């Protein structure tokens, strides 16, 4: 549907909702008067009930989390049913419009009257609670596309290396970027050793060939990931030697990975540096 059609559909919906609110407003106002509301409160009472229905409808359209959306739909269904009951009672007792009934009497049968009065008087309190909760959920709502990747998950494109605030020591910090693993794997797929065409080939089933292809693909990806880890550790070591060591976040973003991945590479470099002097001492002692 084009933009003009969508705009026309939304305007038609707003018109229908406005007319339906005007029809329901008369019944809810009369019910509010019978349960003890003054003229001003009775005039505002329909906005409390039907207004929360509109708010719940908007929240249902905005929220994407399944649990929050279900909550908004339940609020919408509850207040729609409550408004329907009060409108139905107003239709059964036309005297409510002229206030010819006793104060606080919505039904002749006492249990039914008590239930109806409880329903009519609890709706404003429920509007405060449910309305506040819906607004809080909408304000704290974060679209799925804006969420940060989980630990160890690659992002689509590598981020540029940010500038550090450490003092300049005259050495240039190397700028490191890394292409996605899938590009490296596909680029090196042609380098796979091709068997001798003159040698006899054993009969292979399609399932065996697909399993071998999956195994080779996994080996390629693991090899590229290991190469990327080595490049990251080398980049951190060079930056540390230059006097401006990269942070875990900067190292991870430079290779398109998470902060925890960068922290693991830094710890690996430090562990290697701690064990290296011991090896040298052992070699000197052996000589």
């Amino acid at each position: 549907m084009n933009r003009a059609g969508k705009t026309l559909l939304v305007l038609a919906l707003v018109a229908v909702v406005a007319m339906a609110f005007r029809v329901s407003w008369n019944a809810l106002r009369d019910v509010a008067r019978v349960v003890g509301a003054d003229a001003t409160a009775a005039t505002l009472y329909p906005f409390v009930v039907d207004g929360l229905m509109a708010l719940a409808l908007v929240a249902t359209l905005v929220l994407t989390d399944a649990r929050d959306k279900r909550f908004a739909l339940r609020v919408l269904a509850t207040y729609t049913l409550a408004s329907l009951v009060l409108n139905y009672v107003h239709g059964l007792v036309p005297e409510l419009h002229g206030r010819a009934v006793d104060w606080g009497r919505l039904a002749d049968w006492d249990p039914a009257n008590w239930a109806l009065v409880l329903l009519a008087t609890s709706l404003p309190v429920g509007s405060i609670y449910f309305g506040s909760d819906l607004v809080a959920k909408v304000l704290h709502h974060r679209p799925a596309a804006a969420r940060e990747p989980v630990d160890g998950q690659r992002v689509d494109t590598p981020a540029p290396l940010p500038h550090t605030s450490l003092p300049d020591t005259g050495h240039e910090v190397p700028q490191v970027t890394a292409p996605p693993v899938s590009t490296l794997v596909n680029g090196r797929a042609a380098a796979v050793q091709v068997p001798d065409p003159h040698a006899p080939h054993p009969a292979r089933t399609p399932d065996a060939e697909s399993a071998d292809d999956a195994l080779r693909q996994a080996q390629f990806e693991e090899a590229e990931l290991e190469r990327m880890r080595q490049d990251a550790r080398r980049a951190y070591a060079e930056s540390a030697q230059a006097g401006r060591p990269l942070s875990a976040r900067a190292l991870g973003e430079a290779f398109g990975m998470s902060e925890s991945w960068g922290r693991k590479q830094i710890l690996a470099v430090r562990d290697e540096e701690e064990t290296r002097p011991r090896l040298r001492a052992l070699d000197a002692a052996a000589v």
Side-chain angles (χ1 to χ4, degrees):
M1 183 181 293
N2 54 20
R3 186 179 183 85
K6 293 180 180 180
T7 303
L8 182 61
L9 182 62
V10 172
L11 293 177
L13 175 62
V14 172
V16 171
V17 171
M19 290 184 291
F21 173 77
R22 178 60 186 88
V23 175
S24 177
W25 180 81
N26 188 43
L28 295 179
R29 180 195 59 182
D30 294 339
V31 170
R33 287 177 178 176
V34 173
V35 296
D38 56 13
T40 303
T43 303
L44 297 176
Y45 185 82
F47 293 95
V48 174
V49 180
D50 293 344
L52 184 63
M53 293 168 53
L55 177 62
L57 177 60
V58 173
T60 303
L61 298 176
V62 172
L63 297 174
T64 58
D65 184 75
R67 184 174 56 183
D68 295 341
K69 186 180 289 290
R70 284 195 300 269
F71 175 76
L73 286 173
R74 289 172 182 173
V75 173
L76 176 61
T78 301
Y79 268 72
T80 300
L81 181 60
S83 180
L84 175 62
V85 171
L86 296 181
N87 276 269
Y88 179 71
V89 171
H90 184 268
L92 290 178
V93 187
E95 294 83 1
L96 293 176
H97 182 67
R99 288 184 293 180
V101 298
D102 295 337
W103 181 85
R105 298 294 303 184
L106 294 175
D108 294 335
W109 187 40
D110 288 339
N113 180 69
W114 297 337
L116 291 174
V117 172
L118 177 62
L119 174 64
T121 54
S122 61
L123 290 179
V125 180
S127 297
I128 298 174
Y129 175 78
F130 293 115
S132 302
D133 198 0
L134 288 174
V135 171
K137 290 181 183 299
V138 171
L139 293 180
H140 291 84
H141 170 67
R142 295 180 61 188
R147 293 176 182 171
E148 297 180 355
V150 296
D151 183 16
Q153 180 180 357
R154 290 185 56 82
V155 294
D156 294 335
T157 57
L161 185 63
H163 297 286
T164 59
S165 59
L166 297 176
D168 189 6
T169 59
H171 300 279
E172 182 181 359
V173 179
Q175 300 293 331
V176 184
T177 56
V181 175
S182 58
T183 304
L184 297 174
V185 173
N186 295 331
R188 298 190 177 212
V192 180
Q193 183 179 0
V194 180
D196 186 5
H198 301 287
H201 297 279
R204 302 181 64 187
T205 62
D207 294 338
E209 292 180 355
S210 61
D212 293 342
D213 293 339
L215 180 59
R216 285 196 297 268
Q217 185 73 12
Q219 292 175 350
F220 287 148
E221 293 182 357
E222 180 60 27
E224 294 301 332
L225 288 175
E226 179 61 26
R227 188 187 66 81
M228 183 177 297
R229 287 192 287 265
Q230 295 298 331
D231 292 342
R233 296 170 186 176
R234 188 181 305 109
Y236 174 77
E238 293 176 356
S239 65
Q241 292 176 359
R244 301 178 65 183
L246 297 173
S247 63
R249 182 180 182 87
L251 185 63
E253 290 179 353
F255 285 85
M257 303 295 284
S258 63
E259 181 179 356
S260 62
W261 183 88
R263 186 179 298 108
K264 292 177 182 178
Q265 311 315 314
I266 294 175
L267 293 177
V269 174
R270 293 176 179 175
D271 293 340
E272 183 179 356
E273 291 178 352
E274 291 178 357
T275 57
R276 188 175 302 169
R278 298 177 183 177
L279 296 177
R280 292 179 179 176
L282 291 175
D283 293 339
V287 173

